[in-house]
């Protein structure tokens, strides 16, 4: 019986099915907010207010012809999309979603924080592998840009992550969230880290102003150019889940995870994720696109010194 | 990394129309650019020789969907010279108003496309929303949104009534506010500045040497505008400034166009205030006497040039068009040298290219001075041989 329960947890809630459905909902939300801030309407036809549009997009892509060009390096080209999807879902398993009032995530152990951060890096590595294997000029340029961009956002993201771990004195995400249920949220003590993480989220997910690796007006679809059909559907889904993953990482680190003053913890978690997505969508509507070297300069000139400052402050806080 | 060649076009998301560039790039820097034109060649000039003067008017309107008023104005001005007639003053003012509305719509559209090229889709949506108002005005005056068909040889087809004047004034007030806002965005938004300033610089001497036209050359500090130098319609009676910026980069070209929207608004207001009353068109004969005429018009993209030759029949003997985009292509290739790959769309967009306008070029083998008609099979063999010779895969 308990085995069945465990299986249901992994397969349905808060496992795979919930993660996929909620990620698709977040994509709809993101598109809707982005559209409204541009005087547009956004998705409208499928479901109430177009809420099923992302689901329909995925279905459409699955039903399309899946082309593997003859010149690609088959192993990596075929491998990249499912691995991306797998990595994103695996990362979500370690986030405490507050499901059923449980304080711990599905996969929770001392050091899962490091695993999640590694997963965010691995995702970029597989993006590079998959697009380099496409042997396409636009993909090659896009993948080089993705790697270069990683040099920019990875360092500050990890520094801020270190700052939180220093103050929480644990490398377990669920415990970091638990600590914040009794003490003030980390956003109060580390506001710089929160802002830097938001910026890194834009870069990691290739959103404006850092949508450089897939800048459509410059290099067509960038690293996505050769992917189609089911593979593209998997990449799209993985991208949505990654959005969910990074937003929930920010919620766990800075906004107190699933813990709120009252009511069910799962609801609090969802509300906070929606808040982060809202901020991210507004950022997306506000800016133009950086050039790649401008983005790197921006990160190394301003963001990395700021995150070093954040680590320094985090070291001082326990002393006060 | 060795140099690689990146083909851009004939179909590419950054180019709304078919043109092909082969960029040789070293890492992220463009070393050379080679354009190839002619994908949208429609044989309009030849068609013009088989139609009556009235029919060619409609043909010329269809050269370009964005600056359609500039094309018909240029055609009718040229044809009126050929027919040797003077049109009523009220018609001249209506031509000015419609031309300037067309310029505002074209510049707003262009600003949106530029914003899209640098990934600033919010500005893209904003400008295109405001452009709708101008299209609504044009629809109110002429009955059409894109191909207005307002000009005719001998005047204009529709009058501007008093109710229309009020509506135009209201929209102009709103647009003036928006233009000020857009100017502030272009000048102050740090990302716009980062992406536009010192990108695709065209020096003053290069601009003159390569015969650039319109906002492209005005952005390099050369004070030239056909509306002032060779006034047509009622431009000689209306005061306005020629906007120039000296930097020559994409930002200067953007600011020239944003300021020109403001100038156009002022011109429209002045024209509405000083519009004389009277007829709006006169009857013209079917055939002009033998002779030739040229006409020049400042289209939104720069100098537009028409040449018509008559042999006394009801059809033009020769009909020739030189559009501003064609004049700007050599300058564009110069601007593209040394820019980043990420800046290619911005630089290409900075001349406001209109490919369908431009592609009426006939390429003749100048060495032999002949051209052959090949069958499909011959053409296939010829192309195979050519590619083998040039080693292009």
């Amino acid at each position: 019986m308990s085995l069945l329960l465990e299986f249901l947890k992994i397969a349905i809630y808060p496992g795979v099915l919930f993660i996929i459905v909620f990620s698709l909902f977040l994509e709809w939300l993101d598109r809707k907010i982005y559209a409204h801030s541009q005087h547009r309407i956004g998705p409208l036809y499928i479901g109430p207010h177009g809420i099923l549009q992302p689901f329909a997009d995925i279905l459409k892509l699955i039903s399309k012809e899946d082309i593997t060009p003859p010149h690609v390096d088959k192993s990596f080209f075929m491998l990249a999309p499912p691995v991306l999807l797998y990595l994103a879902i695996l990362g979500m398993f370690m986030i405490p979603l507050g499901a059923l009032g449980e304080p711990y995530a599905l996969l929770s152990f001392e050091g899962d924080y490091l695993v999640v951060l590694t997963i965010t890096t691995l995702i970029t590595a597989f993006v590079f592998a998959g697009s380099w294997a496409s042997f396409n000029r636009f993909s090659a340029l896009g993948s080089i840009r993705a790697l270069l961009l990683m040099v920019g956002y990875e360092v500050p993201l990890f520094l801020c992550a270190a700052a939180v771990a220093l103050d929480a004195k644990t490398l377990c995400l669920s415990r970091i969230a638990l600590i914040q249920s009794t003490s003030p949220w980390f956003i109060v003590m580390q506001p710089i880290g929160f802002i830097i993480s938001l910026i890194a989220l834009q870069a990691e997910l290739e959103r404006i102003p850092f949508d450089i690796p897939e800048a459509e007006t410059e290099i067509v679809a960038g690293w996505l150019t050769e992917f189609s059909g089911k593979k593209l559907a998997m990449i799209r889904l993985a991208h949505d889940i990654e959005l969910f993953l990074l937003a929930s990482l920010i919620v766990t680190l800075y906004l107190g995870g699933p813990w709120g003053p009252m009511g069910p913890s799962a609801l609090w978690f969802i509300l906070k994720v929606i808040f982060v997505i809202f901020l991210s969508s507004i950022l997306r509507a506000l800016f133009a696109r950086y050039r790649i070297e401008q983005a790197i300069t921006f990160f190394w000139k301003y963001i990395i010194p700021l995150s070093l400052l954040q680590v320094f402050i985090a070291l001082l806080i326990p002393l006060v | 990394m060795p140099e690689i060649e990146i083909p851009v076009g004939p179909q590419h998301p950054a180019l709304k129309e078919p043109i092909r560039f082969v960029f040789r790039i070293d890492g992220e820097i463009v070393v050379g650019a080679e354009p190839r034109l002619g994908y949208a060649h429609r044989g309009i000039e030849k068609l013009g020789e088989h139609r009556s003067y009235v029919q060619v008017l409609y043909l010329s309107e269809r050269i370009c969907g964005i600056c359609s008023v500039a094309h018909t104005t240029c055609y009718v001005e040229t044809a009126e010279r050929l027919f040797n007639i003077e049109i009523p003053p009220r018609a001249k003012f209506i031509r000015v108003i419609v031309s300037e509305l067309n310029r505002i719509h074209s510049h707003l559209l262009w600003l949106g496309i530029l914003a899209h090229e640098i990934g600033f889709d919010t500005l893209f949506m904003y400008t295109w929303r405001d452009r709708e108002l101008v299209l609504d005005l044009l629809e109110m005056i002429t009955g059409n949104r894109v191909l207005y068909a307002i000009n005719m040889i001998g005047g204009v087809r529709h009058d501007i009534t008093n109710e229309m004047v009020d509506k135009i004034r209201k929209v102009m007030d709103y647009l003036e506010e928006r233009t000020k806002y857009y100017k502030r965005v272009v000048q102050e938004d740090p990302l716009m500045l980062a992406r536009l300033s010192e990108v695709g610089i065209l020096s003053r001497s290069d601009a003159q040497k390569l015969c650039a036209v319109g906002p492209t050359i005005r952005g390099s500090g050369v004070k030239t505008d056909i509306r002032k130098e060779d006034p047509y319609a009622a431009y000689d009676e209306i005061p306005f400034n020629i906007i120039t910026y000296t930097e020559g980069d994409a930002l200067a070209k953007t600011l020239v166009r944003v300021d020109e929207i403001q100038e156009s608004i002022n011109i429209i207001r002045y024209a509405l205030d000083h519009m004389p009353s009277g007829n709006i068109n006169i009857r013209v004969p079917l055939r002009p006497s033998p002779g030739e005429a040229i006409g020049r018009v400042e289209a939104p993209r720069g100098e537009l040039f028409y040449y018509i030759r008559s042999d006394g029949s009801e059809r033009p003997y020769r009909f020739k068009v030189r559009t501003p985009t064609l004049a700007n292509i050599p300058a564009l290739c110069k601007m593209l040298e040394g820019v980043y790959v990420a800046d290619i769309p911005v630089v290409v967009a900075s001349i406001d290219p209109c490919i369908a306008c431009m592609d009426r070029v006939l390429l003749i083998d100048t060495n032999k001075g002949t051209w052959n008609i090949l069958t499909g099979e011959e053409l296939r063999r010829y192309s195979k041989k050519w590619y083998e010779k040039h080693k292009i895969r």
Side-chain angles (χ1 to χ4, degrees), chain A residues 272-302:
Chain A
K272 286 170 187 175
V273 167
I274 287 174
F275 172 69
V276 172
I277 297 291
F278 178 75
L279 287 184
S280 166
S281 305
I282 297 286
L283 275 182
R284 204 175 140 208
L286 273 180
F287 293 108
R289 182 193 309 122
Y290 270 120
R291 268 200 314 257
I292 181 74
E293 99 283 358
Q294 286 169 341
I296 305 291
T297 316
F298 169 75
F299 274 113
W300 282 86
K301 232 179 185 169
Y302 306 107

Tab-separated table of all heavy atoms in Angstrom, chain A residues 272-302:
chain	number	residue	atom	x	y	z
A	272	LYS	N	3.711	32.101	-4.709
A	272	LYS	CA	5.033	32.725	-4.778
A	272	LYS	C	5.689	32.496	-6.130
A	272	LYS	O	6.326	33.395	-6.682
A	272	LYS	CB	5.919	32.171	-3.663
A	272	LYS	CG	5.553	32.707	-2.286
A	272	LYS	CD	6.303	31.950	-1.231
A	272	LYS	CE	5.843	32.330	0.152
A	272	LYS	NZ	6.514	31.499	1.168
A	273	VAL	N	5.521	31.279	-6.682
A	273	VAL	CA	6.086	31.012	-8.017
A	273	VAL	C	5.457	31.950	-9.037
A	273	VAL	O	6.138	32.540	-9.885
A	273	VAL	CB	5.872	29.537	-8.421
A	273	VAL	CG1	6.164	29.333	-9.892
A	273	VAL	CG2	6.766	28.634	-7.593
A	274	ILE	N	4.124	32.126	-8.929
A	274	ILE	CA	3.439	33.020	-9.868
A	274	ILE	C	3.992	34.441	-9.735
A	274	ILE	O	4.207	35.135	-10.740
A	274	ILE	CB	1.917	32.981	-9.624
A	274	ILE	CG1	1.373	31.650	-10.126
A	274	ILE	CG2	1.214	34.127	-10.320
A	274	ILE	CD1	-0.081	31.419	-9.826
A	275	PHE	N	4.293	34.860	-8.517
A	275	PHE	CA	4.857	36.197	-8.298
A	275	PHE	C	6.207	36.328	-9.015
A	275	PHE	O	6.460	37.330	-9.700
A	275	PHE	CB	5.017	36.441	-6.791
A	275	PHE	CG	5.764	37.693	-6.450
A	275	PHE	CD1	5.212	38.943	-6.702
A	275	PHE	CD2	7.030	37.630	-5.889
A	275	PHE	CE1	5.900	40.097	-6.391
A	275	PHE	CE2	7.728	38.785	-5.574
A	275	PHE	CZ	7.165	40.020	-5.828
A	276	VAL	N	7.061	35.317	-8.887
A	276	VAL	CA	8.375	35.368	-9.541
A	276	VAL	C	8.220	35.403	-11.064
A	276	VAL	O	8.891	36.174	-11.759
A	276	VAL	CB	9.248	34.177	-9.104
A	276	VAL	CG1	10.526	34.115	-9.933
A	276	VAL	CG2	9.591	34.291	-7.638
A	277	ILE	N	7.293	34.586	-11.579
A	277	ILE	CA	7.058	34.578	-13.027
A	277	ILE	C	6.570	35.947	-13.489
A	277	ILE	O	6.969	36.451	-14.542
A	277	ILE	CB	6.013	33.503	-13.396
A	277	ILE	CG1	6.530	32.107	-13.043
A	277	ILE	CG2	5.647	33.571	-14.873
A	277	ILE	CD1	7.657	31.621	-13.872
A	278	PHE	N	5.719	36.565	-12.672
A	278	PHE	CA	5.204	37.896	-12.993
A	278	PHE	C	6.362	38.889	-13.134
A	278	PHE	O	6.464	39.605	-14.138
A	278	PHE	CB	4.246	38.337	-11.879
A	278	PHE	CG	3.690	39.708	-12.062
A	278	PHE	CD1	2.705	39.951	-12.994
A	278	PHE	CD2	4.167	40.770	-11.310
A	278	PHE	CE1	2.201	41.223	-13.162
A	278	PHE	CE2	3.667	42.042	-11.480
A	278	PHE	CZ	2.674	42.264	-12.413
A	279	LEU	N	7.274	38.894	-12.149
A	279	LEU	CA	8.433	39.791	-12.215
A	279	LEU	C	9.252	39.511	-13.474
A	279	LEU	O	9.654	40.420	-14.200
A	279	LEU	CB	9.323	39.601	-10.988
A	279	LEU	CG	8.811	40.137	-9.663
A	279	LEU	CD1	9.858	39.939	-8.590
A	279	LEU	CD2	8.472	41.609	-9.786
A	280	SER	N	9.467	38.226	-13.739
A	280	SER	CA	10.295	37.844	-14.882
A	280	SER	C	9.650	38.273	-16.204
A	280	SER	O	10.337	38.746	-17.110
A	280	SER	CB	10.508	36.335	-14.849
A	280	SER	OG	10.998	35.885	-16.056
A	281	SER	N	8.322	38.136	-16.310
A	281	SER	CA	7.643	38.532	-17.551
A	281	SER	C	7.710	40.030	-17.755
A	281	SER	O	7.873	40.509	-18.889
A	281	SER	CB	6.177	38.104	-17.517
A	281	SER	OG	6.086	36.748	-17.259
A	282	ILE	N	7.588	40.787	-16.655
A	282	ILE	CA	7.666	42.246	-16.781
A	282	ILE	C	9.066	42.642	-17.245
A	282	ILE	O	9.226	43.473	-18.151
A	282	ILE	CB	7.340	42.919	-15.425
A	282	ILE	CG1	5.914	42.614	-15.014
A	282	ILE	CG2	7.577	44.419	-15.490
A	282	ILE	CD1	4.868	43.356	-15.772
A	283	LEU	N	10.095	41.993	-16.663
A	283	LEU	CA	11.469	42.265	-17.090
A	283	LEU	C	11.605	42.012	-18.580
A	283	LEU	O	12.270	42.750	-19.305
A	283	LEU	CB	12.448	41.346	-16.350
A	283	LEU	CG	12.935	41.787	-14.979
A	283	LEU	CD1	13.916	40.772	-14.440
A	283	LEU	CD2	13.617	43.141	-15.089
A	284	ARG	N	10.960	40.935	-19.042
A	284	ARG	CA	11.058	40.540	-20.432
A	284	ARG	C	10.454	41.603	-21.346
A	284	ARG	O	10.925	41.828	-22.452
A	284	ARG	CB	10.291	39.237	-20.582
A	284	ARG	CG	10.709	38.393	-21.712
A	284	ARG	CD	9.927	37.100	-21.613
A	284	ARG	NE	9.537	36.690	-22.922
A	284	ARG	CZ	8.459	35.962	-23.176
A	284	ARG	NH1	7.684	35.580	-22.200
A	284	ARG	NH2	8.181	35.614	-24.395
A	285	ALA	N	9.385	42.244	-20.860
A	285	ALA	CA	8.715	43.233	-21.708
A	285	ALA	C	9.445	44.567	-21.702
A	285	ALA	O	9.239	45.396	-22.571
A	285	ALA	CB	7.277	43.431	-21.233
A	286	LEU	N	10.312	44.777	-20.700
A	286	LEU	CA	10.893	46.104	-20.527
A	286	LEU	C	12.099	46.372	-21.403
A	286	LEU	O	12.442	47.516	-21.648
A	286	LEU	CB	11.313	46.279	-19.061
A	286	LEU	CG	10.257	46.793	-18.103
A	286	LEU	CD1	10.828	46.902	-16.723
A	286	LEU	CD2	9.739	48.137	-18.564
A	287	PHE	N	12.794	45.324	-21.839
A	287	PHE	CA	14.113	45.542	-22.420
A	287	PHE	C	14.220	45.104	-23.868
A	287	PHE	O	13.417	44.328	-24.369
A	287	PHE	CB	15.169	44.784	-21.610
A	287	PHE	CG	15.347	45.328	-20.227
A	287	PHE	CD1	14.894	44.631	-19.133
A	287	PHE	CD2	15.954	46.551	-20.040
A	287	PHE	CE1	15.045	45.133	-17.863
A	287	PHE	CE2	16.110	47.066	-18.773
A	287	PHE	CZ	15.659	46.358	-17.681
A	288	ALA	N	15.293	45.616	-24.505
A	288	ALA	CA	15.710	45.110	-25.803
A	288	ALA	C	16.760	44.026	-25.549
A	288	ALA	O	17.050	43.707	-24.403
A	288	ALA	CB	16.298	46.228	-26.642
A	289	ARG	N	17.321	43.488	-26.623
A	289	ARG	CA	18.262	42.398	-26.472
A	289	ARG	C	19.692	42.920	-26.440
A	289	ARG	O	20.071	43.763	-27.247
A	289	ARG	CB	18.096	41.421	-27.634
A	289	ARG	CG	19.000	40.218	-27.556
A	289	ARG	CD	19.011	39.457	-28.868
A	289	ARG	NE	17.672	39.166	-29.340
A	289	ARG	CZ	17.200	39.549	-30.519
A	289	ARG	NH1	17.955	40.223	-31.348
A	289	ARG	NH2	15.982	39.261	-30.883
A	290	TYR	N	20.472	42.412	-25.481
A	290	TYR	CA	21.892	42.736	-25.447
A	290	TYR	C	22.603	42.035	-26.590
A	290	TYR	O	22.167	40.992	-27.066
A	290	TYR	CB	22.518	42.228	-24.151
A	290	TYR	CG	22.493	43.194	-23.002
A	290	TYR	CD1	21.848	42.874	-21.820
A	290	TYR	CD2	23.150	44.399	-23.091
A	290	TYR	CE1	21.841	43.741	-20.753
A	290	TYR	CE2	23.149	45.275	-22.018
A	290	TYR	CZ	22.498	44.951	-20.860
A	290	TYR	OH	22.500	45.806	-19.820
A	291	ARG	N	23.749	42.610	-27.006
A	291	ARG	CA	24.672	41.837	-27.840
A	291	ARG	C	25.443	40.932	-26.908
A	291	ARG	O	25.564	41.211	-25.733
A	291	ARG	CB	25.648	42.775	-28.544
A	291	ARG	CG	25.208	43.214	-29.892
A	291	ARG	CD	26.374	43.704	-30.703
A	291	ARG	NE	27.245	44.591	-29.984
A	291	ARG	CZ	27.273	45.917	-30.131
A	291	ARG	NH1	26.458	46.495	-30.936
A	291	ARG	NH2	28.146	46.645	-29.474
A	292	ILE	N	26.013	39.836	-27.438
A	292	ILE	CA	26.631	38.859	-26.561
A	292	ILE	C	27.763	39.477	-25.740
A	292	ILE	O	27.851	39.273	-24.526
A	292	ILE	CB	27.097	37.610	-27.360
A	292	ILE	CG1	27.732	36.565	-26.445
A	292	ILE	CG2	28.076	37.941	-28.465
A	292	ILE	CD1	26.755	35.830	-25.619
A	293	GLU	N	28.606	40.303	-26.377
A	293	GLU	CA	29.744	40.823	-25.615
A	293	GLU	C	29.265	41.872	-24.608
A	293	GLU	O	29.843	42.028	-23.543
A	293	GLU	CB	30.840	41.325	-26.557
A	293	GLU	CG	30.931	42.807	-26.826
A	293	GLU	CD	29.871	43.271	-27.786
A	293	GLU	OE1	29.085	42.437	-28.267
A	293	GLU	OE2	29.804	44.483	-28.059
A	294	GLN	N	28.145	42.559	-24.928
A	294	GLN	CA	27.581	43.503	-23.965
A	294	GLN	C	27.039	42.763	-22.750
A	294	GLN	O	27.174	43.232	-21.615
A	294	GLN	CB	26.468	44.314	-24.616
A	294	GLN	CG	26.982	45.358	-25.578
A	294	GLN	CD	25.858	45.960	-26.397
A	294	GLN	OE1	24.784	45.394	-26.515
A	294	GLN	NE2	26.125	47.114	-26.985
A	295	ALA	N	26.424	41.598	-23.006
A	295	ALA	CA	25.871	40.825	-21.892
A	295	ALA	C	26.986	40.354	-20.963
A	295	ALA	O	26.879	40.457	-19.744
A	295	ALA	CB	25.086	39.629	-22.433
A	296	ILE	N	28.065	39.834	-21.553
A	296	ILE	CA	29.182	39.335	-20.731
A	296	ILE	C	29.787	40.490	-19.932
A	296	ILE	O	30.063	40.361	-18.740
A	296	ILE	CB	30.266	38.683	-21.625
A	296	ILE	CG1	29.641	37.597	-22.503
A	296	ILE	CG2	31.393	38.117	-20.777
A	296	ILE	CD1	29.176	36.404	-21.764
A	297	THR	N	29.970	41.637	-20.611
A	297	THR	CA	30.506	42.811	-19.911
A	297	THR	C	29.607	43.196	-18.748
A	297	THR	O	30.077	43.469	-17.650
A	297	THR	CB	30.599	44.004	-20.883
A	297	THR	OG1	31.130	43.538	-22.105
A	297	THR	CG2	31.495	45.091	-20.329
A	298	PHE	N	28.297	43.190	-19.009
A	298	PHE	CA	27.329	43.545	-17.968
A	298	PHE	C	27.487	42.636	-16.757
A	298	PHE	O	27.555	43.094	-15.620
A	298	PHE	CB	25.921	43.446	-18.563
A	298	PHE	CG	24.806	43.519	-17.561
A	298	PHE	CD1	24.461	44.725	-16.981
A	298	PHE	CD2	24.098	42.381	-17.214
A	298	PHE	CE1	23.433	44.797	-16.069
A	298	PHE	CE2	23.067	42.444	-16.303
A	298	PHE	CZ	22.731	43.653	-15.726
A	299	PHE	N	27.604	41.322	-17.008
A	299	PHE	CA	27.715	40.390	-15.892
A	299	PHE	C	29.032	40.565	-15.137
A	299	PHE	O	29.052	40.599	-13.912
A	299	PHE	CB	27.587	38.941	-16.391
A	299	PHE	CG	26.159	38.491	-16.494
A	299	PHE	CD1	25.579	38.219	-17.717
A	299	PHE	CD2	25.388	38.375	-15.350
A	299	PHE	CE1	24.264	37.809	-17.802
A	299	PHE	CE2	24.065	37.973	-15.435
A	299	PHE	CZ	23.505	37.691	-16.658
A	300	TRP	N	30.149	40.670	-15.886
A	300	TRP	CA	31.441	40.702	-15.205
A	300	TRP	C	31.744	42.057	-14.596
A	300	TRP	O	32.470	42.143	-13.614
A	300	TRP	CB	32.563	40.265	-16.167
A	300	TRP	CG	32.568	38.784	-16.305
A	300	TRP	CD1	31.820	38.050	-17.168
A	300	TRP	CD2	33.296	37.852	-15.507
A	300	TRP	NE1	32.034	36.725	-16.983
A	300	TRP	CE2	32.946	36.572	-15.972
A	300	TRP	CE3	34.203	37.971	-14.456
A	300	TRP	CZ2	33.476	35.412	-15.410
A	300	TRP	CZ3	34.734	36.810	-13.917
A	300	TRP	CH2	34.371	35.553	-14.382
A	301	LYS	N	31.172	43.113	-15.175
A	301	LYS	CA	31.481	44.444	-14.659
A	301	LYS	C	30.618	44.790	-13.450
A	301	LYS	O	31.091	45.381	-12.494
A	301	LYS	CB	31.240	45.482	-15.763
A	301	LYS	CG	32.430	46.397	-16.000
A	301	LYS	CD	32.057	47.339	-17.116
A	301	LYS	CE	33.213	48.220	-17.506
A	301	LYS	NZ	32.928	48.932	-18.747
A	302	TYR	N	29.337	44.444	-13.505
A	302	TYR	CA	28.427	44.882	-12.447
A	302	TYR	C	27.944	43.738	-11.569
A	302	TYR	O	27.937	43.843	-10.350
A	302	TYR	CB	27.224	45.607	-13.060
A	302	TYR	CG	27.625	46.748	-13.960
A	302	TYR	CD1	27.513	46.654	-15.338
A	302	TYR	CD2	28.142	47.920	-13.409
A	302	TYR	CE1	27.900	47.701	-16.155
A	302	TYR	CE2	28.530	48.967	-14.223
A	302	TYR	CZ	28.407	48.852	-15.605
A	302	TYR	OH	28.794	49.878	-16.392
